[in-house]
Amino acid sequence: MSSKASPSASNHEAVAGNLAPMNLMADLGRQQLALATESACALFRGSEAMRKIQQQAAHQACAHHEAAAQRLRGTCEPADLLAIQSDLLRSNFQEAAEYWQALMANALKTQSEMMGCANRIFNTKAENGFKPALEAWQAAMAGSLNGAANWPAMQQ
């Protein structure tokens, strides 16, 4: 009875070993979807942060312009008009520089998070990572190309 079980078990292991690259290839789609979903989440978080930066910049600009408008409603000397305008211009340039700096920092952080998603896929354990699936695919393609190279010789 034990003699029948061992050939069947070894045959099953051999079939499983032969199908291992195909199982990895089948898992490739799931891993690609996971990568795309994680990257989308990082992009959405970045978009939310960008929206907050824009809202904060608009709020600050509104506050400065309201203060300038309030000062302009009162009686002003010509020198005061120049001071109000120059103060408003200075704050606009300063806030614009801070705004673009914050947007760039947010974009770099978002890009880093998205690259981190891809990096996690490539740096996973050998038995469940993306890299073994790609290696199996490359081996399968190389094997088929080697077989295609011998095809004309087999016809003769």
Side-chain angles (χ1 to χ4, degrees):
M1 192 87 155
S2 64
S3 63
K4 289 183 180 179
S6 67
S8 176
S10 65
N11 187 25
H12 179 50
E13 290 173 7
V15 169
N18 289 337
L19 292 178
M22 298 307 277
N23 290 339
L24 286 173
M25 289 298 296
D27 196 43
L28 186 62
R30 180 193 60 78
Q31 292 180 9
Q32 287 175 333
L33 183 59
L35 173 63
T37 305
E38 283 184 61
S39 296
C41 288
L43 183 65
F44 296 143
R45 283 190 299 273
S47 295
E48 286 177 338
M50 188 175 292
R51 183 71 169 174
K52 288 177 185 176
I53 291 167
Q54 291 170 336
Q55 185 177 9
Q56 183 181 16
H59 179 72
Q60 288 175 344
C62 182
H64 282 101
H65 282 81
E66 283 177 351
Q70 184 67 24
R71 289 173 55 192
L72 289 169
R73 284 189 198 107
T75 57
C76 297
E77 297 291 322
D80 293 335
L81 290 175
L82 184 61
I84 292 169
Q85 287 179 341
S86 64
D87 183 47
L88 195 56
L89 184 63
R90 181 196 52 78
S91 68
N92 284 344
F93 278 127
Q94 182 179 352
E95 288 174 4
E98 291 172 1
Y99 169 76
W100 287 109
Q101 185 178 14
L103 282 181
M104 182 57 71
N106 179 60
L108 290 174
K109 181 182 176 192
T110 301
Q111 182 180 16
S112 176
E113 285 181 28
M114 292 176 74
M115 293 303 292
C117 295
N119 192 32
R120 280 191 300 277
I121 292 290
F122 284 109
N123 289 329
T124 55
K125 293 181 182 176
E127 63 269 5
N128 64 353
F130 195 67
K131 190 175 179 181
L134 288 177
E135 290 171 351
W137 181 75
Q138 288 174 339
M141 293 305 291
S144 68
L145 291 176
N146 289 338
N150 294 331
W151 183 72
M154 293 173 68
Q155 283 185 336
Q156 294 174 352

